[in-house]
């Protein structure tokens, strides 16, 4: 008998536990091998590709929704789509059903023919452009060739279902890329009804309405893999992984963008946006360098600023007593207390600013003209040359087809077509837009009133020698304190108004019922930009062109809302209003960019973390591809609209008011370098895959950019003339200075006002005759000389810049010559190949008919011989 000692018991128990763990791991391994991998883009059979996914849940109103889903899915199957449902028991939340949709070849071929989708029929034999000299210098910025050109170049033509043998169809399952497949499926979903057969209810049509009434909770195409690792399936392209690795990482900020891969994965519309944003950022580099040079000149010429030295001199500025800044509480103050602000003004208000303003007027033209050339090249490379003419009308909005019941006869096609009630919509637009703009103006007036009230308070506190804040008063003037606080309040008001204006603009555009998606986006673009233009730029226009222009003079000051309010109009700092415009521009522009980056990066990240917190630890084979995408944020149809709007508003800041802040292009450059990678990261990691859509250009934004470019020449000319002190300094230097120097300019730019009960004279900033003169307190002749010089400067600058702009636009063709030649060559080859194809097809038909006819004649003759033989 074998006796087991206690130590043997422990060893035996440990051995059993170890064997149990090994067996358990082997069992789990075998189970995982037997279970199908759910992180896939295919149906359960592993053959049919998932082109679209719909999700829904059971709720209290389940019977009605179930009926809608039953009819909708039945109609989808009638169209030819194949469906497969994942039960809620297989989902992580045990509540959500997933309906997977696959479009077979017949459906894809039919709708590719309807949508006139271009497909390849022959590999292109047109060589690429030759290598440029010193190409090795750009190698550090290049991406691998398979990333930059994910597919070969082909000659393409509109798909025709009756000519399938004309196209290069090697495999029907992969002939149409996933972006084209989800575009076709979404076209079907948007127009598929969910009413019973025999009933006609146009309101019950389309996936958008089913999403709005809660029948389905989401509808989206799936990503091809996880963004941080390649797909297990070798047939899956793993393009999302490549985009994240070579494009979305911030460490790739100096690399070029893989535009062809972006276009292949997301569609042409998103590809055009990133192409424009990248080109805009590249052009900002030159403007940023020139602005930095201008700012550096202001820093280097810091010690040569005679006017600031006089203001800061205790014997000059310290002996000049200025008039009170408000009527009641404000004391007299000495000019040298504005020493620091005068030095700050010189950094941005110097001789280099004039050159930079002219340069920016020319830069804008170069940017727009070179973008047209870049856009034309993309149109050719992405098969978008004839898109507007042939395909745009096929993108009729389902809402237009449903809601527009009026019909009229088209005189060209002689067919009846829907007619929208556009006139009432436009009238509504005018009725709603006017109060909205009036609200903005009211907010601006409120901010101005705040500036006037607080300005008096700051002036009474900061300039009061009895107050114990003299240390702060040396660095902060009442004008600066008022400008900073008012700018911050104005920025908060801008953000609040934006929240409401977005919804109002969308509501108005929906009521207008535009016919096509392009019309919808263009109308919404114009409304939103009008709101945003007034909202963002109104405060800058006030500081640049109105502040300090209607002040009056001691004894006859101008008041806002009348003298009874005691709200005296603001005066500019003795150093000029330009530094206050700079402050306003920096706060609004930088604040908007900072807030925009927080919204774009942090909010989607937090929302996705919150929605996926319960299932983010699931193993890959238990967490399906459609579930992973379901917890991501939905990319709405207007997602790109907000991206464009953000950049165009920024474009306005760096062009309309750039004369006041030469470093604005540099700030915009840094922001856009971050913006490209944030948008790329957002698209690849935080958003569901958007439905691919086509666009040949940036749409109405092009016209808006042109309008802003023209307006910027005018605004910068007026800023240099009326906001800057450049013209008064030049007039004094060349017309009034005795030694052709700026000495005594400060004293020359001030006027004297005598107060009877005070023995000394008091100074205010203006060009007026002193008391005792026969024209006491009237404008001096120097004022009119300066005004004439300002008007002459505006006329000369505008004409010079406009002449150069139009000359540059005339010299630079919109379409590069090699692109024109390629387009003509490709069209010629397409016609030649089509002709040869039709000829060969006709020969085959004739030969087939020739073979058939003799055989039928031979059978007739044999029958005749048989009949004759029987008769004989």
């Amino acid at each position: 008998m074998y006796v087991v000692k206690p130590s043997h018991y422990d060893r035996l128990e440990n051995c059993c536990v170890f064997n149990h763990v090994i067996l358990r791991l082997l069992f789990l391994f075998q189970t995982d091998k037997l279970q199908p991998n759910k992180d896939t883009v295919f149906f359960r059979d592993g053959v049919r590709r998932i082109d679209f996914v719909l999700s829904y849940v059971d709720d209290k109103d389940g019977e009605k929704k179930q009926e809608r889903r039953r009819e909708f899915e039945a109609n989808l199957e009638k169209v030819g789509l194949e469906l497969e449902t994942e039960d809620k028991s297989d989902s992580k939340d045990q509540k959500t059903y997933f309906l997977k949709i696959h479009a077979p070849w017949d459906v894809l071929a039919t709708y590719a023919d309807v949508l006139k989708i271009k497909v390849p029929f022959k590999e292109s034999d047109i060589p690429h452009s030759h290598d440029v000299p010193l190409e090795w210098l750009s190698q550090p910025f290049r991406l691998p060739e398979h990333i930059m050109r994910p597919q070969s170049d082909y000659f393409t033509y509109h798909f025709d279902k009756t000519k399938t043998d004309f196209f290069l169809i090697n495999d029907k399952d992969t002939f149409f890329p996933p972006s084209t497949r989800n575009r076709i499926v979404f076209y079907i979903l948007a127009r598929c009804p969910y009413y019973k057969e025999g009933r006609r209810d146009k309101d019950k049509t389309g996936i958008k309405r089913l999403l709005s009434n809660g029948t389905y909770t989401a509808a989206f195409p799936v990503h091809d893999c996880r963004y941080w690792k390649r797909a297990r399936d070798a047939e899956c392209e793993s393009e999302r992984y490549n985009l994240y690795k070579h494009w979305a990482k911030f460490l790739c900020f100096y690399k070029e963008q893989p535009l062809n891969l972006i276009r292949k994965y997301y569609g042409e519309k998103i590809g055009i946006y990133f192409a424009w944003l990248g080109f805009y950022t590249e052009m900002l580099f030159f403007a940023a360098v020139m602005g930095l040079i201008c700012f550096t000149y202001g820093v280097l010429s810091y010690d040569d600023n005679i006017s600031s030295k006089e203001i800061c001199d205790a014997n000059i500025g310290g002996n000049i007593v200025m008039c009170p800044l408000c009527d009641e509480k404000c004391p007299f103050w000495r000019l040298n207390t504005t020493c620091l602000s005068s030095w700050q003004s010189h950094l941005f208000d110097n001789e280099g600013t004039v050159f930079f303003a002219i340069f920016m007027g020319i830069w804008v033209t170069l940017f727009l003209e070179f973008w047209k050339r870049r856009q034309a090249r993309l149109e050719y490379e992405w098969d978008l040359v004839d898109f507007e003419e042939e395909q745009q009308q096929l993108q009729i909005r389902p809402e237009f087809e449903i809601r527009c019941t009026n019909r009229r006869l088209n005189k060209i096609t002689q067919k009846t077509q829907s007619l929208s009630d556009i006139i009432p919509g436009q009238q509504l637009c005018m009725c709603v837009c006017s109060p909205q703009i009036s609200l903005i103006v009211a907010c601006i007036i409120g901010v101005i009133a705040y500036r006037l009230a607080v300005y008096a308070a700051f002036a009474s506190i900061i300039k009061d020698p009895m107050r114990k804040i003299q240390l702060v008063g040396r660095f902060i003037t009442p004008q600066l304190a008022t400008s900073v606080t008012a700018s911050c309040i104005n920025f908060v008001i801008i953000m609040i108004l934006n929240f409401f204006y977005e919804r109002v603009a969308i509501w108005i555009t929906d009521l207008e019922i535009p016919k096509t998606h392009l019309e919808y986006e263009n109308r919404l673009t114009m409304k939103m930009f009008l709101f945003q233009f007034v909202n963002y730029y109104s405060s800058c226009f006030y500081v640049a062109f109105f502040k300090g222009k209607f002040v009056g003079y001691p004894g006859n000051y101008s008041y806002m809302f009348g003298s009874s309010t005691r709200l005296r109009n603001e005066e500019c700092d003795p150093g000029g209003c330009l530094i206050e415009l700079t402050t306003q521009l920096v706060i609004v522009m930088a604040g908007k960019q900072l807030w925009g980056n927080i919204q774009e990066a942090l909010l989607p990240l937090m929302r996705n973390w919150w929605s996926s917190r319960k299932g983010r630890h699931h193993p890959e084979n238990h967490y399906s591809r459609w579930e992973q995408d379901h917890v991501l944020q939905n990319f709405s149809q207007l997602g790109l609209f907000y991206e464009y709007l953000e950049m165009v508003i920024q474009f306005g800041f760096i062009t309309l008011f750039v004369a006041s802040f030469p470093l604005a292009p540099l700030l915009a450059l840094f922001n856009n370098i971050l913006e490209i990678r944030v948008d790329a990261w957002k698209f690849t990691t935080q958003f569901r895959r958007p439905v691919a859509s086509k666009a040949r250009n940036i749409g109405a934004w092009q016209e808006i950019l042109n309008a802003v470019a023209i307006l910027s020449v005018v605004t910068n000319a007026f800023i240099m003339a009326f906001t800057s002190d450049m013209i008064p300094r030049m007039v004094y230097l060349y017309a009034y200075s005795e030694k052709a120097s700026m000495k005594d300019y400060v004293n020359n730019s001030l006027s004297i006002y005598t107060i009877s009960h005070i023995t000394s004279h008091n100074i205010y900033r203006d060009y007026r005759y002193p008391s005792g003169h026969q024209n006491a307190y009237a404008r001096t002749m120097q004022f009119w000389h300066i005004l004439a010089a300002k008007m002459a400067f505006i006329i000369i600058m505008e004409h010079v810049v406009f002449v150069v702009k139009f000359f540059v636009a005339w010299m630079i063709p919109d379409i590069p010559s090699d692109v024109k030649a390629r387009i003509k060559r490709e069209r010629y080859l397409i016609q030649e190949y089509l002709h040869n194809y039709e000829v060969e097809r006709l020969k085959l038909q004739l030969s087939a008919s020739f073979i058939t006819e003799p055989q039928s004649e031979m059978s007739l003759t044999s029958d005749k011989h048989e009949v004759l033989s029987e008769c004989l």
Side-chain angles (χ1 to χ4, degrees), residues 62-90:
E63 293 184 1
K64 292 182 179 179
K65 294 179 180 179
Q66 188 175 1
E67 180 66 22
R68 295 177 196 148
R69 286 193 292 266
R70 187 184 303 112
E71 296 297 333
F72 185 69
E73 293 168 14
N75 290 328
L76 290 179
E77 291 178 333
K78 288 179 183 178
V79 173
L81 296 178
E82 298 177 0
L83 312 178
E84 186 177 83
T85 304
E86 292 288 335
D87 191 73
K88 66 179 181 180
S89 60
D90 296 328

mmCIF file of all heavy atoms in Angstrom, residues 62-90:
data_model
loop_
_atom_site.group_PDB
_atom_site.id
_atom_site.type_symbol
_atom_site.label_atom_id
_atom_site.label_comp_id
_atom_site.label_asym_id
_atom_site.label_seq_id
_atom_site.Cartn_x
_atom_site.Cartn_y
_atom_site.Cartn_z
ATOM 1 N N GLY A 62 -42.405 48.988 -31.142
ATOM 2 C CA GLY A 62 -41.767 47.993 -31.992
ATOM 3 C C GLY A 62 -42.605 47.486 -33.144
ATOM 4 O O GLY A 62 -42.083 47.157 -34.197
ATOM 5 N N GLU A 63 -43.932 47.383 -32.976
ATOM 6 C CA GLU A 63 -44.765 46.800 -34.022
ATOM 7 C C GLU A 63 -44.774 47.657 -35.287
ATOM 8 O O GLU A 63 -44.612 47.148 -36.400
ATOM 9 C CB GLU A 63 -46.191 46.613 -33.492
ATOM 10 C CG GLU A 63 -46.310 45.568 -32.382
ATOM 11 C CD GLU A 63 -47.759 45.359 -31.957
ATOM 12 O OE1 GLU A 63 -48.641 46.024 -32.554
ATOM 13 O OE2 GLU A 63 -47.989 44.544 -31.045
ATOM 14 N N LYS A 64 -44.959 48.975 -35.122
ATOM 15 C CA LYS A 64 -44.952 49.856 -36.295
ATOM 16 C C LYS A 64 -43.598 49.842 -36.987
ATOM 17 O O LYS A 64 -43.511 49.747 -38.210
ATOM 18 C CB LYS A 64 -45.313 51.288 -35.878
ATOM 19 C CG LYS A 64 -46.751 51.462 -35.426
ATOM 20 C CD LYS A 64 -47.023 52.918 -35.095
ATOM 21 C CE LYS A 64 -48.467 53.113 -34.657
ATOM 22 N NZ LYS A 64 -48.745 54.531 -34.316
ATOM 23 N N LYS A 65 -42.558 49.922 -36.195
ATOM 24 C CA LYS A 65 -41.224 49.932 -36.776
ATOM 25 C C LYS A 65 -40.898 48.590 -37.427
ATOM 26 O O LYS A 65 -40.243 48.533 -38.474
ATOM 27 C CB LYS A 65 -40.189 50.273 -35.708
ATOM 28 C CG LYS A 65 -40.327 51.696 -35.174
ATOM 29 C CD LYS A 65 -39.304 51.986 -34.091
ATOM 30 C CE LYS A 65 -39.460 53.415 -33.579
ATOM 31 N NZ LYS A 65 -38.496 53.732 -32.503
ATOM 32 N N GLN A 66 -41.333 47.525 -36.815
ATOM 33 C CA GLN A 66 -41.098 46.206 -37.394
ATOM 34 C C GLN A 66 -41.808 46.072 -38.737
ATOM 35 O O GLN A 66 -41.270 45.490 -39.681
ATOM 36 C CB GLN A 66 -41.565 45.126 -36.420
ATOM 37 C CG GLN A 66 -41.184 43.714 -36.836
ATOM 38 C CD GLN A 66 -41.564 42.688 -35.777
ATOM 39 O OE1 GLN A 66 -42.124 43.038 -34.752
ATOM 40 N NE2 GLN A 66 -41.256 41.429 -36.032
ATOM 41 N N GLU A 67 -43.001 46.626 -38.827
ATOM 42 C CA GLU A 67 -43.733 46.595 -40.089
ATOM 43 C C GLU A 67 -42.995 47.398 -41.159
ATOM 44 O O GLU A 67 -42.883 46.970 -42.314
ATOM 45 C CB GLU A 67 -45.147 47.153 -39.877
ATOM 46 C CG GLU A 67 -46.015 47.168 -41.127
ATOM 47 C CD GLU A 67 -46.341 45.763 -41.632
ATOM 48 O OE1 GLU A 67 -46.260 44.811 -40.824
ATOM 49 O OE2 GLU A 67 -46.645 45.631 -42.831
ATOM 50 N N ARG A 68 -42.492 48.562 -40.783
ATOM 51 C CA ARG A 68 -41.727 49.370 -41.745
ATOM 52 C C ARG A 68 -40.483 48.638 -42.205
ATOM 53 O O ARG A 68 -40.159 48.626 -43.398
ATOM 54 C CB ARG A 68 -41.329 50.704 -41.103
ATOM 55 C CG ARG A 68 -42.483 51.624 -40.762
ATOM 56 C CD ARG A 68 -41.943 52.860 -40.085
ATOM 57 N NE ARG A 68 -42.989 53.602 -39.399
ATOM 58 C CZ ARG A 68 -42.804 54.296 -38.296
ATOM 59 N NH1 ARG A 68 -41.607 54.324 -37.728
ATOM 60 N NH2 ARG A 68 -43.797 54.964 -37.752
ATOM 61 N N ARG A 69 -39.781 48.025 -41.265
ATOM 62 C CA ARG A 69 -38.563 47.297 -41.634
ATOM 63 C C ARG A 69 -38.886 46.126 -42.541
ATOM 64 O O ARG A 69 -38.145 45.852 -43.506
ATOM 65 C CB ARG A 69 -37.834 46.813 -40.373
ATOM 66 C CG ARG A 69 -37.125 47.900 -39.596
ATOM 67 C CD ARG A 69 -36.189 47.319 -38.558
ATOM 68 N NE ARG A 69 -36.906 46.657 -37.485
ATOM 69 C CZ ARG A 69 -37.252 47.235 -36.339
ATOM 70 N NH1 ARG A 69 -36.952 48.502 -36.118
ATOM 71 N NH2 ARG A 69 -37.892 46.557 -35.405
ATOM 72 N N ARG A 70 -39.975 45.427 -42.259
ATOM 73 C CA ARG A 70 -40.341 44.270 -43.069
ATOM 74 C C ARG A 70 -40.608 44.696 -44.519
ATOM 75 O O ARG A 70 -40.109 44.069 -45.465
ATOM 76 C CB ARG A 70 -41.559 43.585 -42.472
ATOM 77 C CG ARG A 70 -41.909 42.264 -43.172
ATOM 78 C CD ARG A 70 -43.182 41.643 -42.611
ATOM 79 N NE ARG A 70 -43.087 41.424 -41.175
ATOM 80 C CZ ARG A 70 -43.796 42.081 -40.260
ATOM 81 N NH1 ARG A 70 -44.667 43.011 -40.647
ATOM 82 N NH2 ARG A 70 -43.661 41.814 -38.973
ATOM 83 N N GLU A 71 -41.363 45.781 -44.695
ATOM 84 C CA GLU A 71 -41.665 46.245 -46.050
ATOM 85 C C GLU A 71 -40.413 46.784 -46.737
ATOM 86 O O GLU A 71 -40.189 46.535 -47.927
ATOM 87 C CB GLU A 71 -42.747 47.335 -45.996
ATOM 88 C CG GLU A 71 -44.095 46.867 -45.460
ATOM 89 C CD GLU A 71 -44.709 45.802 -46.352
ATOM 90 O OE1 GLU A 71 -44.406 45.784 -47.562
ATOM 91 O OE2 GLU A 71 -45.491 44.970 -45.834
ATOM 92 N N PHE A 72 -39.620 47.513 -45.997
ATOM 93 C CA PHE A 72 -38.406 48.101 -46.567
ATOM 94 C C PHE A 72 -37.438 47.016 -47.015
ATOM 95 O O PHE A 72 -36.900 47.061 -48.139
ATOM 96 C CB PHE A 72 -37.750 49.013 -45.530
ATOM 97 C CG PHE A 72 -36.556 49.771 -46.034
ATOM 98 C CD1 PHE A 72 -36.694 50.790 -46.963
ATOM 99 C CD2 PHE A 72 -35.283 49.470 -45.573
ATOM 100 C CE1 PHE A 72 -35.595 51.497 -47.420
ATOM 101 C CE2 PHE A 72 -34.173 50.163 -46.018
ATOM 102 C CZ PHE A 72 -34.329 51.181 -46.938
ATOM 103 N N GLU A 73 -37.198 46.024 -46.172
ATOM 104 C CA GLU A 73 -36.267 44.957 -46.517
ATOM 105 C C GLU A 73 -36.802 44.089 -47.643
ATOM 106 O O GLU A 73 -36.042 43.595 -48.487
ATOM 107 C CB GLU A 73 -35.967 44.127 -45.268
ATOM 108 C CG GLU A 73 -35.186 44.912 -44.213
ATOM 109 C CD GLU A 73 -35.128 44.207 -42.867
ATOM 110 O OE1 GLU A 73 -35.464 42.998 -42.842
ATOM 111 O OE2 GLU A 73 -34.766 44.848 -41.854
ATOM 112 N N ALA A 74 -38.131 43.911 -47.682
ATOM 113 C CA ALA A 74 -38.718 43.155 -48.797
ATOM 114 C C ALA A 74 -38.501 43.888 -50.122
ATOM 115 O O ALA A 74 -38.182 43.265 -51.152
ATOM 116 C CB ALA A 74 -40.204 42.922 -48.555
ATOM 117 N N ASN A 75 -38.643 45.204 -50.109
ATOM 118 C CA ASN A 75 -38.415 45.979 -51.327
ATOM 119 C C ASN A 75 -36.945 45.990 -51.722
ATOM 120 O O ASN A 75 -36.616 46.030 -52.916
ATOM 121 C CB ASN A 75 -38.921 47.411 -51.135
ATOM 122 C CG ASN A 75 -40.429 47.483 -51.073
ATOM 123 O OD1 ASN A 75 -41.123 46.690 -51.701
ATOM 124 N ND2 ASN A 75 -40.954 48.439 -50.311
ATOM 125 N N LEU A 76 -36.064 45.962 -50.733
ATOM 126 C CA LEU A 76 -34.632 45.866 -51.048
ATOM 127 C C LEU A 76 -34.322 44.553 -51.743
ATOM 128 O O LEU A 76 -33.529 44.509 -52.710
ATOM 129 C CB LEU A 76 -33.800 45.999 -49.765
ATOM 130 C CG LEU A 76 -33.749 47.370 -49.088
ATOM 131 C CD1 LEU A 76 -32.892 47.301 -47.824
ATOM 132 C CD2 LEU A 76 -33.196 48.434 -50.027
ATOM 133 N N GLU A 77 -34.908 43.484 -51.273
ATOM 134 C CA GLU A 77 -34.674 42.185 -51.908
ATOM 135 C C GLU A 77 -35.267 42.133 -53.311
ATOM 136 O O GLU A 77 -34.728 41.471 -54.200
ATOM 137 C CB GLU A 77 -35.246 41.074 -51.026
ATOM 138 C CG GLU A 77 -34.465 40.877 -49.722
ATOM 139 C CD GLU A 77 -35.073 39.813 -48.838
ATOM 140 O OE1 GLU A 77 -36.308 39.590 -48.947
ATOM 141 O OE2 GLU A 77 -34.328 39.193 -48.044
ATOM 142 N N LYS A 78 -36.397 42.848 -53.516
ATOM 143 C CA LYS A 78 -36.977 42.894 -54.864
ATOM 144 C C LYS A 78 -36.032 43.601 -55.837
ATOM 145 O O LYS A 78 -35.955 43.245 -57.012
ATOM 146 C CB LYS A 78 -38.323 43.621 -54.831
ATOM 147 C CG LYS A 78 -39.434 42.834 -54.165
ATOM 148 C CD LYS A 78 -40.727 43.631 -54.140
ATOM 149 C CE LYS A 78 -41.830 42.871 -53.414
ATOM 150 N NZ LYS A 78 -43.091 43.674 -53.345
ATOM 151 N N VAL A 79 -35.322 44.613 -55.337
ATOM 152 C CA VAL A 79 -34.353 45.308 -56.183
ATOM 153 C C VAL A 79 -33.201 44.388 -56.553
ATOM 154 O O VAL A 79 -32.586 44.541 -57.608
ATOM 155 C CB VAL A 79 -33.840 46.576 -55.456
ATOM 156 C CG1 VAL A 79 -32.713 47.235 -56.230
ATOM 157 C CG2 VAL A 79 -34.974 47.554 -55.253
ATOM 158 N N GLY A 80 -32.898 43.413 -55.701
ATOM 159 C CA GLY A 80 -31.815 42.482 -55.970
ATOM 160 C C GLY A 80 -30.743 42.439 -54.912
ATOM 161 O O GLY A 80 -29.785 41.660 -55.012
ATOM 162 N N LEU A 81 -30.864 43.273 -53.879
ATOM 163 C CA LEU A 81 -29.873 43.264 -52.806
ATOM 164 C C LEU A 81 -30.026 42.014 -51.953
ATOM 165 O O LEU A 81 -31.132 41.494 -51.784
ATOM 166 C CB LEU A 81 -30.019 44.507 -51.934
ATOM 167 C CG LEU A 81 -29.762 45.854 -52.609
ATOM 168 C CD1 LEU A 81 -29.991 46.995 -51.623
ATOM 169 C CD2 LEU A 81 -28.356 45.928 -53.176
ATOM 170 N N GLU A 82 -28.921 41.546 -51.410
ATOM 171 C CA GLU A 82 -28.912 40.364 -50.559
ATOM 172 C C GLU A 82 -28.683 40.800 -49.115
ATOM 173 O O GLU A 82 -27.802 41.625 -48.839
ATOM 174 C CB GLU A 82 -27.829 39.394 -51.016
ATOM 175 C CG GLU A 82 -28.063 38.881 -52.430
ATOM 176 C CD GLU A 82 -26.944 37.978 -52.920
ATOM 177 O OE1 GLU A 82 -25.986 37.756 -52.138
ATOM 178 O OE2 GLU A 82 -27.018 37.501 -54.073
ATOM 179 N N LEU A 83 -29.478 40.234 -48.194
ATOM 180 C CA LEU A 83 -29.473 40.658 -46.799
ATOM 181 C C LEU A 83 -29.085 39.504 -45.882
ATOM 182 O O LEU A 83 -29.369 38.340 -46.177
ATOM 183 C CB LEU A 83 -30.852 41.193 -46.395
ATOM 184 C CG LEU A 83 -31.514 42.210 -47.331
ATOM 185 C CD1 LEU A 83 -32.891 42.594 -46.811
ATOM 186 C CD2 LEU A 83 -30.647 43.436 -47.511
ATOM 187 N N GLU A 84 -28.463 39.862 -44.776
ATOM 188 C CA GLU A 84 -28.119 38.888 -43.740
ATOM 189 C C GLU A 84 -28.198 39.593 -42.391
ATOM 190 O O GLU A 84 -27.601 40.654 -42.196
ATOM 191 C CB GLU A 84 -26.716 38.335 -43.971
ATOM 192 C CG GLU A 84 -26.336 37.219 -43.015
ATOM 193 C CD GLU A 84 -24.972 36.645 -43.329
ATOM 194 O OE1 GLU A 84 -23.961 37.238 -42.886
ATOM 195 O OE2 GLU A 84 -24.901 35.607 -44.029
ATOM 196 N N THR A 85 -28.927 39.005 -41.448
ATOM 197 C CA THR A 85 -29.188 39.642 -40.154
ATOM 198 C C THR A 85 -28.358 38.995 -39.057
ATOM 199 O O THR A 85 -28.246 37.771 -38.991
ATOM 200 C CB THR A 85 -30.685 39.549 -39.799
ATOM 201 O OG1 THR A 85 -31.452 40.134 -40.851
ATOM 202 C CG2 THR A 85 -30.977 40.273 -38.491
ATOM 203 N N GLU A 86 -27.792 39.837 -38.194
ATOM 204 C CA GLU A 86 -27.095 39.387 -36.993
ATOM 205 C C GLU A 86 -28.017 39.607 -35.799
ATOM 206 O O GLU A 86 -28.471 40.731 -35.550
ATOM 207 C CB GLU A 86 -25.792 40.155 -36.803
ATOM 208 C CG GLU A 86 -24.731 39.860 -37.837
ATOM 209 C CD GLU A 86 -24.123 38.482 -37.670
ATOM 210 O OE1 GLU A 86 -24.154 37.962 -36.527
ATOM 211 O OE2 GLU A 86 -23.621 37.936 -38.668
ATOM 212 N N ASP A 87 -28.301 38.546 -35.077
ATOM 213 C CA ASP A 87 -29.243 38.637 -33.966
ATOM 214 C C ASP A 87 -28.648 39.462 -32.821
ATOM 215 O O ASP A 87 -27.419 39.550 -32.671
ATOM 216 C CB ASP A 87 -29.597 37.242 -33.469
ATOM 217 C CG ASP A 87 -30.763 37.267 -32.496
ATOM 218 O OD1 ASP A 87 -31.901 37.479 -32.949
ATOM 219 O OD2 ASP A 87 -30.508 37.104 -31.289
ATOM 220 N N LYS A 88 -29.556 40.034 -32.036
ATOM 221 C CA LYS A 88 -29.109 40.875 -30.924
ATOM 222 C C LYS A 88 -28.325 40.085 -29.880
ATOM 223 O O LYS A 88 -27.512 40.654 -29.150
ATOM 224 C CB LYS A 88 -30.300 41.569 -30.279
ATOM 225 C CG LYS A 88 -31.278 40.613 -29.592
ATOM 226 C CD LYS A 88 -32.428 41.378 -28.943
ATOM 227 C CE LYS A 88 -33.389 40.428 -28.239
ATOM 228 N NZ LYS A 88 -34.516 41.172 -27.614
ATOM 229 N N SER A 89 -28.555 38.792 -29.813
ATOM 230 C CA SER A 89 -27.825 37.980 -28.837
ATOM 231 C C SER A 89 -26.342 37.916 -29.147
ATOM 232 O O SER A 89 -25.531 37.608 -28.269
ATOM 233 C CB SER A 89 -28.407 36.562 -28.788
ATOM 234 O OG SER A 89 -28.306 35.950 -30.070
ATOM 235 N N ASP A 90 -25.970 38.204 -30.409
ATOM 236 C CA ASP A 90 -24.558 38.178 -30.791
ATOM 237 C C ASP A 90 -23.879 39.529 -30.634
ATOM 238 O O ASP A 90 -22.662 39.627 -30.831
ATOM 239 C CB ASP A 90 -24.427 37.730 -32.251
ATOM 240 C CG ASP A 90 -24.913 36.299 -32.458
ATOM 241 O OD1 ASP A 90 -24.749 35.510 -31.505
ATOM 242 O OD2 ASP A 90 -25.435 35.994 -33.545
#
